[in-house]
Amino acid sequence: MSEIDYKRRQLLVAGGLAVGACLLPGVALASPYKATSARKISLCNIHTKEDLETQYFDGQSYIKEELKRINHICRDFRRNEVANMDRRLFDAIAEIQEGLGHKGQVRIISGYRSPETNKALQKNGGVAKKSYHMKGEAIDFNLEGVPLSKVRNAALELRLGGVGYYPKSGFVHIDTGPVRRW
C-alpha cells in the first residue's frame, strides 16, 4: 500500500469515527466531566416539598437505585407518574452548579410531565405541544440564591440542548433536544 493510500485510509477511518460519534451520542461520555468524577446532587421539588441528596454516579458508573430516586422526585406530581429522566440533565445541572460554585439545592419546578398533564397545561398556554418534558428529557429549575441570568448563561455554555429563560416565572428550562435558546 502506498503512503497516499495509507493516509487516505487514516482520513476515512477518522471521518467514520467522527460521523459515528454524531450518530451514536449515547456512546460518548455522559458529560464533559472527567470520567472518574463522582457526581452528587441535592434536589427539592417545590410542589411536593420533597428533598433528595444523592450521589448518582460513583466515578465509573451510574447508580441505578439513585437514578430511580431522582426519577421519583422529578415525577409528574399531578398524576403521580414516574418516568426515566435523561441523566444528562443532572450531569448538566451538577456541572452548572460546579461552574457557579453553588453548593445548595436545585429547586425543581417541572421534570417529567405526562401527555395528559401537558395537554391540560396547554389550555392555559405556555407549554409546547411536543414538550421534551413528556419524554423525561427536560427539566425546569433554579438554584437557590443564584441569579437566574447566571444559571441561564452557564446552561448556554454547555450546549447540551435547549435552554429557555423564564425570569418572571423564576426558572431556567434545559432539555436534551437540539441546541437552541429562547
Side-chain angles (χ1 to χ4, degrees):
M1 176 184 313
S2 73
E3 186 175 341
I4 293 172
D5 288 337
Y6 180 74
K7 288 186 182 208
R8 186 178 295 146
R9 180 176 283 173
Q10 283 183 311
L11 283 172
L12 287 171
V13 168
L17 290 173
V19 169
C22 291
L23 295 174
L24 300 169
V27 174
L29 286 176
S31 80
Y33 269 123
K34 293 178 217 142
T36 57
S37 297
R39 296 177 209 143
K40 296 178 182 180
I41 197 162
S42 177
L43 303 168
C44 171
N45 184 311
I46 67 162
H47 302 288
T48 65
K49 308 293 186 229
E50 295 167 293
D51 294 315
L52 172 64
E53 201 164 312
T54 179
Q55 179 179 307
Y56 65 96
F57 183 79
D58 66 10
Q60 298 206 343
S61 59
Y62 290 94
I63 303 166
K64 205 176 217 179
E65 286 305 311
E66 295 306 308
L67 290 175
K68 283 183 184 178
R69 293 176 67 207
I70 291 173
N71 292 339
H72 181 76
I73 201 168
C74 292
R75 73 190 178 280
D76 180 341
F77 70 93
R78 293 170 184 89
R79 298 181 57 90
N80 202 31
E81 288 183 28
V82 177
N84 289 328
M85 297 293 293
D86 188 332
R87 58 191 179 205
R88 293 177 296 169
L89 296 167
F90 304 104
D91 290 343
I93 291 171
E95 191 167 348
I96 289 166
Q97 285 187 286
E98 187 175 296
L100 295 174
H102 181 260
K103 303 230 187 282
Q105 280 192 321
V106 176
R107 296 169 36 91
I108 301 165
I109 285 71
S110 182
Y112 171 70
R113 234 177 2 229
S114 69
E116 294 83 5
T117 294
N118 201 71
K119 194 171 188 176
L121 291 173
Q122 272 184 284
K123 292 177 183 172
N124 299 331
V127 303
K129 188 175 185 177
K130 295 185 178 186
S131 172
Y132 283 93
H133 286 278
M134 295 187 298
K135 299 192 268 183
E137 296 175 358
I139 191 165
D140 300 337
F141 72 101
N142 63 44
L143 301 178
E144 194 173 42
V146 178
L148 214 52
S149 60
K150 286 188 174 189
V151 176
R152 177 208 49 211
N153 292 341
L156 287 169
E157 284 179 25
L158 293 179
R159 299 191 50 80
L160 170 71
V163 177
Y165 183 53
Y166 298 91
K168 289 181 183 171
S169 299
F171 68 85
V172 169
H173 164 102
I174 62 172
D175 65 52
T176 55
V179 175
R180 62 211 188 288
R181 67 189 286 178
W182 61 93

